[in-house]
Amino acid sequence: MFQRIDHVGIACHNLEEKIEFYESTFGLVVVSREVNEEQGVREAMLHVADGDGGASYIQLLEPLHPDTAVGKYLSKRGEGVHHIGYGVADVAKAMADIAAKGVRLIDERPRHGSMGASIAFLHPKDVGGVLTELVETPRH
Ligand code: V0V
Ligand code: CO
């Protein structure tokens, strides 16, 4: 079902500061920046590696407001790993297959994600405390 780890999402207070840290410490390069109003985030994708199933990234996330998914996470837990995004070939099919196994979907239908992807989240309480995202990248 999973092709690769597409990205690891990291919650932070200050996106520009964290980008600077990841660039200067690890030599990673920002390949995309977006504001996603629906998800309540300002985010950047930093390319890590290319593989057979596609590329992998670090996604740095700054909340647009305190009352958002990432804003609440920061106030409760502080900065750190927020979610794991797995690459899938067909997000709608993956959602149906996973829901059939009793895992709650947060999204009833796929949403707009970074770099034109279709994304959907699984509830962390049904995945051992890990917020899990399904990512279908656009076909070229
Ligand atoms: C919350 N919880 C988490 C969590 N966030 N557990 C693990 N990892 C996380 N990131 C736990 C929290 O500690 C609570 O557990 C419980 O879930 C309920 O949390 P809450 O603070 O009351 O918040 P809720 O229920 O209002 O919202 C939690 C959920 C929400 C996961 C439902 O954050 C959500 O809908 N997330 C999906 C959307 C999202 O995260 N968007 C931002 C990334 P206790 O304390 O009760 O035990 S956008 C993105 O990745 C994009 C655009 C992309 O990749 O392209
Ligand atoms: Co993500």
Side-chain angles (χ1 to χ4, degrees):
M1 184 181 294
F2 293 160
Q3 299 175 318
R4 67 190 184 287
I5 292 175
D6 181 274
H7 66 270
V8 175
I10 296 177
C12 65
H13 291 290
N14 187 315
L15 183 64
E16 296 311 318
E17 274 179 27
K18 277 301 177 289
I19 288 173
E20 161 64 22
F21 173 82
Y22 274 80
E23 286 180 340
S24 63
T25 309
F26 302 129
L28 296 183
V29 173
V30 174
V31 292
S32 166
R33 285 172 188 259
E34 270 177 58
V35 172
N36 188 322
E37 296 278 353
E38 185 182 34
Q39 298 294 337
V41 293
R42 174 177 294 112
E43 53 93 7
M45 294 294 247
L46 290 81
H47 179 257
V48 177
D50 290 312
D52 290 342
S56 63
Y57 306 90
I58 291 293
Q59 180 176 46
L60 300 177
L61 303 153
E62 179 190 300
L64 293 176
H65 314 286
D67 190 20
T68 57
V70 174
K72 284 162 93 175
Y73 185 88
L74 281 173
S75 65
K76 280 192 182 171
R77 303 196 190 193
E79 295 187 317
V81 174
H82 180 257
H83 65 269
I84 296 181
Y86 292 100
V88 296
D90 181 338
V91 69
K93 181 174 191 317
M95 288 168 77
D97 290 351
I98 292 166
K101 298 197 174 171
V103 173
R104 272 171 296 165
L105 307 175
I106 292 173
D107 300 298
E108 286 171 15
R109 56 176 176 78
R111 309 283 174 185
H112 165 74
S114 190
M115 300 189 290
S118 293
I119 63 172
F121 286 92
L122 312 178
H123 204 286
K125 291 288 171 198
D126 290 352
V127 193
V130 179
L131 178 59
T132 301
E133 178 184 345
L134 308 173
V135 183
E136 179 186 336
T137 53
R139 288 168 220 287
H140 298 293

